[in-house]
Amino acid sequence: RSRWNLWVDRMMLRVNGPVASGVSLVFLAFVLWALPAASQAGVDVGLTQSIDTSFGMSADQLWVIAESYGPTIRQAYIVQRWTFDVLWPIVYTSFFMSSALYLGKKIKLNDGGKTLLFLIPLGVLFDLLENSLVSLVFALFPIRIIGLTEAAVLMTPIKWVFVSLSMILVLGLAGVALVRPWIKR
């Protein structure tokens, strides 16, 4: 058994209904209030183009955005990435992981399924890498380091692949948890 699966087993013992519900409420509060407020705050300081939701942005496009923002808006972007955008990935990862652990415990997830849960923290890893690299591009502007801008834009689609797989995984576990009692009858 892998160390990851042993860790998942320990966490499954700790995540119960009230814990999963509490994390879900925090996630819902972020979706309903914090995300719109952060988005509006970004617009208020001039952050008009969303970098971290652009699945196919090129390095040149990121560079044009960095140039068009100017020093004040680039600084506002960096501040937002290292305040709100550090909390948000932690919140959504906590939601995905606690939901997956709770549902996995309910359906008695096997070792292969437990290994799949490793996809969840990869989303937050690539989200934080994306934030770090874009922040570096903006902080160093107009100095362009070969490969840095390219790496920054590469993190966005990788992040979205893992975040999407996390959503699909949690929805799949929820589906199994809902259908399994009917199949056993």
Side-chain angles (χ1 to χ4, degrees), residues 25-46:
L25 287 174
V26 170
F27 175 77
L28 190 61
F30 258 74
V31 169
L32 294 176
W33 292 291
L35 276 178
S39 179
Q40 186 57 51
V43 169
D44 291 346
V45 296

Side-chain angles (χ1 to χ4, degrees), residues 2 4-5 8 97 100 109-122 162 165-166 168-170 173:
S2 72
W4 172 258
N5 285 4
V8 168
M97 190 57 91
L109 198 60
N110 65 22
D111 280 348
K114 290 174 186 173
T115 301
L116 279 177
L117 298 186
F118 191 69
L119 296 171
I120 296 171
L122 291 176
F162 285 110
L165 288 172
S166 298
I168 291 167
L169 184 60
V170 169
L173 291 170

Side-chain angles (χ1 to χ4, degrees), residues 59 62 129-130 133-134 137 145-158:
L62 178 59
L129 278 171
E130 171 195 50
L133 293 173
V134 174
V137 168
I145 297 174
I146 296 171
L148 179 63
T149 310
E150 291 76 9
V153 297
L154 182 61
M155 293 304 115
T156 302
I158 294 172

Side-chain angles (χ1 to χ4, degrees), residues 66-79 137-139 141:
E67 187 173 36
S68 72
Y69 274 176
T72 305
I73 298 173
R74 282 193 303 270
Q75 183 61 36
Y77 177 90
I78 292 168
V79 167
V137 168
F138 280 20
F141 188 88

Side-chain angles (χ1 to χ4, degrees), residues 11-24 98-99 101-103 105-106:
M11 291 300 105
M12 281 183 174
L13 293 173
R14 293 187 172 122
V15 176
N16 55 24
V19 169
S21 297
V23 173
S24 296
S98 66
S99 298
L101 290 167
Y102 179 72
L103 292 165
K105 179 168 59 174
K106 286 284 188 198

